[in-house]
Amino acid sequence: MILALRIANQQLLELRRQPAMIAAMAAVVSSIAGLVLFVALTLTLVNSQPASRELFQANLATAGFGLEDPIPFVIETLLSSFNFLLFTQLLGMTAVLAGQSIVHERQSGTLAFLMLAPVRRGDVLLGKALGAAILPIILYGLIGGSSSLVLASLELTEAYAWRLPPSPGWLIAFWLGGPAWCLALAAAGTLLSIRSRDVRTAQQGVWLLVFLASTTVGAGLGGGLQEDAGFQLVLAGAGVICTLGLLALGTLLLRRDIHL
Amino acid sequence: MAPVVQARGLGRRFGKRVSLQGVDLELPAGEVLGLIGPNGGGKSTLLLLIAGLLEPSEGEVRVQGIPSQQLARQAHGRVGLITAEPGLYPLLSGRENLHFFGRLHGLGAAQVDARLRDIVGELHLQDALERPVSACSSGMKQKISLARALLMQPALLLLDEPTANLDPVSARAIWAEVRRRADAGLAVIVATHDLVAAESACDRVLLLAGRVLDEVRFEGPRQPPPVGHLFGPYLRVIGAEDGS
């Protein structure tokens, strides 16, 4: 385990030397959070003044959305989109980083030296998966978590408290389900990376992985907030099991024979 | 004294292509064995088989009595490897690379620093150690790679074209260090296309082309490759008369 952490730390050190990449990742999460907060705050302002509220309702009716009370509908759509985007971007960023991990070792010529070291293959994989997952989880925790708290403090979102902190469903989804599936995606990306001979192959595989994860797990974590906390607990548990299974599979695929 | 390397009927196929077959080999401590032969002749394959980084298709190889496939688990750095590509993380500094690999081999941070103090001086690596590897010259990268191998105090050093793409000063420094270590008891196997260097610095040379075609043993004291008449003016041009 200590060796896995050393490998993860080495990967983080390399990531820290690429501030442009970290900035791009932070920009994705910040853009989502910024846009959602902007819309939510604007709606709060609109809702606080009857004239503005009526004008907003009239404009929506003109645009074809003839709802009796449109603001709750917009808020609910906004919150479900926010959670969905937050979770899918977390999974996507992790998969991209993990999908390059072993390919990067091959291309740098360092894989041979990793395999020469007295490190178990499971530790190499766990280290690579952790190294890919930590930075996205930190960005998601800081930016996604703080913006969720701001959203929860708005009067307009009171009716949707189950979608936001500190509801048990949200807490489990955000702090257990998200990181658990993030690790699962990291393990899956690392697995893809083992089987890829060059970056382009890895990228295409990652693309498929992100699509599958977004439409299933991303939707489950974001949309599943309608379910009770038990559903989110089961989903988080499935993420842990999936991570362990993929790491176990990876130890079979990653051989000390660097040609295989 | 038991040989450091023992191979019996060693061979490797890649799919249907036979890269190497029927290699019998014994290498005692303190000997430099050169591998020469055409590209694709099996030199790199033999080195990787000995390091345990390729599985033999036939035969077996042991290092200090340990089957090569178990080296990583049991030998803990007893085999040092240098490849033509230095195999370093380009965004990390030389020191960070050496610390990372040293720690993976179970050395403590203080132990790595203590061992590095000697190695860095011997290889004239002081300037390169704090720079990102990507900003180092090819010669410096290869010296850092050599430092990584020596850091584990190996019993066997495997070098795969270690001086390819290096300038004459860096190449000579690598050969000199290898020869010096061998004279101190290290077993060395070096694959090279530099026939002059092989003849000068190696105790024995195998000619490989899919199998061992010939073996030549050299007598007399071995030394780094001769420098030739242009070496002095070359040093003056680059301003490194002391060879550093």
Side-chain angles (χ1 to χ4, degrees):
Chain A
M1 184 64 184
I2 290 173
L3 293 180
L5 292 177
R6 284 202 200 297
I7 291 169
N9 184 49
Q10 175 278 329
Q11 201 164 328
L12 277 178
L13 200 57
E14 275 200 299
L15 292 179
R16 276 168 43 199
R17 300 282 155 82
Q18 300 172 82
M21 190 183 65
I22 296 175
M25 290 166 69
V28 170
V29 189
S30 303
S31 301
I32 295 167
L35 187 65
V36 169
L37 283 175
F38 174 75
V39 176
L41 291 170
T42 306
L43 282 177
T44 303
L45 198 65
V46 167
N47 196 46
S48 65
Q49 296 165 338
S52 306
R53 190 183 168 88
E54 277 173 26
L55 183 62
F56 178 66
Q57 197 167 346
N59 283 340
L60 275 185
T62 310
F65 299 100
L67 297 168
E68 195 176 314
D69 190 4
I71 288 183
F73 169 76
V74 175
I75 283 290
E76 184 171 10
T77 307
L78 190 69
L79 292 180
S80 64
S81 304
F82 174 61
N83 285 325
F84 174 73
L85 285 173
L86 206 58
F87 287 126
T88 53
Q89 294 313 301
L90 168 70
L91 301 177
M93 286 190 294
T94 306
V96 168
L97 287 179
Q100 310 281 335
S101 56
I102 301 289
V103 178
H104 173 62
E105 297 283 346
R106 275 189 211 283
Q107 292 190 330
S108 304
T110 45
L111 185 61
F113 297 95
L114 267 187
M115 292 292 107
L116 207 56
V119 185
R120 286 179 302 185
R121 288 167 294 172
D123 281 336
V124 173
L125 290 173
L126 181 60
K128 288 287 160 196
L130 283 174
I134 287 173
L135 190 59
I137 287 177
I138 290 173
L139 290 174
Y140 144 98
L142 285 177
I143 303 170
S146 56
S147 48
S148 294
L149 284 173
V150 174
L151 284 171
S153 70
L154 300 177
E155 195 181 325
L156 270 183
T157 61
E158 271 176 11
Y160 308 99
W162 45 272
R163 280 197 186 281
L164 292 165
S167 77
W170 184 91
L171 287 173
I172 294 169
F174 195 85
W175 293 116
L176 287 180
W181 279 103
C182 180
L183 276 175
L185 262 282
T190 309
L191 220 77
L192 264 176
S193 192
I194 294 170
R195 303 307 297 172
S196 305
R197 292 288 153 179
D198 71 353
V199 175
R200 288 164 298 186
T201 314
Q203 281 173 336
Q204 293 305 327
V206 165
W207 191 254
L208 175 65
L209 192 63
V210 170
F211 169 73
L212 293 175
S214 300
T215 49
T216 54
V217 180
L221 286 167
L225 283 173
Q226 292 176 50
E227 310 291 335
D228 60 11
F231 173 80
Q232 289 300 335
L233 212 51
V234 169
L235 200 58
V240 173
I241 291 168
C242 199
T243 304
L244 295 175
L246 287 166
L247 288 175
L249 180 62
T251 55
L252 298 176
L253 293 177
L254 182 65
R255 307 278 293 272
R256 288 215 186 265
D257 187 322
I258 56 172
H259 181 74
L260 298 176
Chain B
M1 202 164 119
V4 177
V5 180
Q6 269 184 309
R8 293 282 172 271
L10 190 61
R12 169 72 188 216
R13 287 186 304 277
F14 293 103
K16 288 181 180 173
R17 187 176 68 83
V18 177
S19 173
L20 195 70
Q21 61 182 342
V23 174
D24 296 319
L25 174 67
E26 284 198 356
L27 181 73
E31 185 172 307
V32 178
L33 173 68
L35 304 177
I36 60 172
N39 289 331
K43 303 186 297 295
S44 301
T45 301
L46 180 54
L47 291 179
L48 293 174
L49 282 166
I50 295 170
L53 293 171
L54 288 178
E55 291 168 11
S57 305
E58 59 191 54
E60 67 159 7
V61 56
R62 288 171 180 265
V63 177
Q64 292 188 314
I66 300 169
S68 63
Q69 292 305 296
Q70 294 168 26
L71 279 175
R73 264 172 293 167
Q74 294 187 25
H76 286 240
R78 302 300 284 162
V79 177
L81 176 68
I82 297 172
T83 51
E85 291 297 321
L88 299 163
Y89 296 105
L91 298 177
L92 305 191
S93 69
R95 186 178 296 281
E96 287 166 338
N97 268 283
L98 294 171
H99 264 267
F100 171 65
F101 285 106
R103 302 297 298 275
L104 276 192
H105 279 85
L107 301 179
Q111 220 175 348
V112 173
D113 282 329
R115 290 188 187 183
L116 273 183
R117 267 193 288 279
D118 295 334
I119 296 170
V120 164
E122 288 158 7
L123 295 178
H124 303 284
L125 266 175
Q126 293 88 340
D127 294 340
L129 223 49
E130 310 306 333
R131 268 185 259 157
V133 164
S134 58
C136 292
S137 66
S138 302
M140 280 301 173
K141 287 177 192 167
Q142 207 56 298
K143 283 185 183 178
I144 295 169
S145 185
L146 178 58
R148 170 177 54 197
L150 297 176
L151 191 62
M152 320 311 169
Q153 299 181 338
L156 171 66
L157 189 58
L158 304 171
L159 302 101
D160 191 1
E161 299 185 31
T163 56
N165 306 319
L166 296 194
D167 66 59
V169 177
S170 302
R172 188 174 159 76
I174 298 276
W175 278 110
E177 187 60 25
V178 165
R179 191 61 251 179
R180 197 175 72 78
R181 296 274 173 171
D183 292 340
L186 184 64
V188 180
I189 304 180
V190 54
T192 182
H193 288 298
D194 187 341
L195 302 184
V196 175
E199 189 172 340
S200 172
C202 296
D203 298 285
R204 188 161 50 115
V205 164
L206 296 183
L207 177 58
L208 279 180
R211 60 194 170 87
V212 179
L213 295 182
D214 202 0
E215 179 177 337
V216 181
R217 182 174 285 282
F218 301 107
E219 299 300 332
R222 307 281 84 210
Q223 54 196 4
V227 293
H229 298 299
L230 285 175
F231 199 68
Y234 182 88
L235 286 182
R236 279 194 293 281
V237 167
I238 64 168
E241 279 89 344
D242 62 353
S244 64

